[in-house]
Amino acid sequence: MGTVFWILIAVHVALCVLLILLVLVQNDKMGGLAGLGGMTAQSAFSTAGAATFIQKLTRYVAFTLFIVLLTLGFMATKQIAEGGGSVLQQEAINSGQGSILDQLPPPPSE
C-alpha cells in the first residue's frame, strides 16, 4: 500500500475516537433508540426535536467515517486483485515455506 492508505488509517482512527467522544457528550433527552425517528410523542409540538450543533457534528463525522471506510475497503480490494496477496503469504514465500502454499487450493476467481 502507499502513503495515502496509511494516512487514511490514521484519519479512520481519529474519526473513531472523535465519534465515540461525540456520542458520549450528547444529552440523552431523546430516550436512546426512541430518538432515531427525530420526533417523539413528547416533542411532537415543541422545539425540543431540533438538532443541536453536537448532533449535527456527529452526523457529519459518521458520514465522513463511512466514506473513509469505503475508500479503505476499495483500496484493500484493489491491492488484492492486483496480486499483492496477504502479508502472511509473502512472509511464507520469503522464509522458504512457499511450497506449503502450493498445496493449498487456489482462491476463487471472479
Side-chain angles (χ1 to χ4, degrees), residues 33-85:
L33 293 178
L36 287 178
M39 297 290 279
T40 61
Q42 298 170 348
S43 67
F45 299 106
S46 69
T47 60
T52 64
F53 172 74
I54 292 185
Q55 290 172 337
K56 290 179 183 178
L57 184 62
T58 304
R59 286 186 201 137
Y60 292 130
V61 169
F63 180 73
T64 306
L65 180 65
F66 182 70
I67 296 299
V68 168
L69 284 171
L70 285 177
T71 305
L72 285 171
F74 176 74
M75 290 176 73
T77 304
K78 184 178 174 186
Q79 190 247 350
I80 290 172
E82 289 176 353

Side-chain angles (χ1 to χ4, degrees), residues 97-104:
Q97 298 176 358
S99 61
I100 295 172
L101 296 175
D102 295 335
Q103 298 172 3
L104 297 174

Side-chain angles (χ1 to χ4, degrees), residues 19-30 52-59:
L19 188 62
I20 289 169
L21 292 175
L22 284 171
V23 168
L24 289 175
V25 167
Q26 287 184 19
N27 191 359
D28 194 23
K29 278 193 240 174
M30 299 300 284
T52 64
F53 172 74
I54 292 185
Q55 290 172 337
K56 290 179 183 178
L57 184 62
T58 304
R59 286 186 201 137

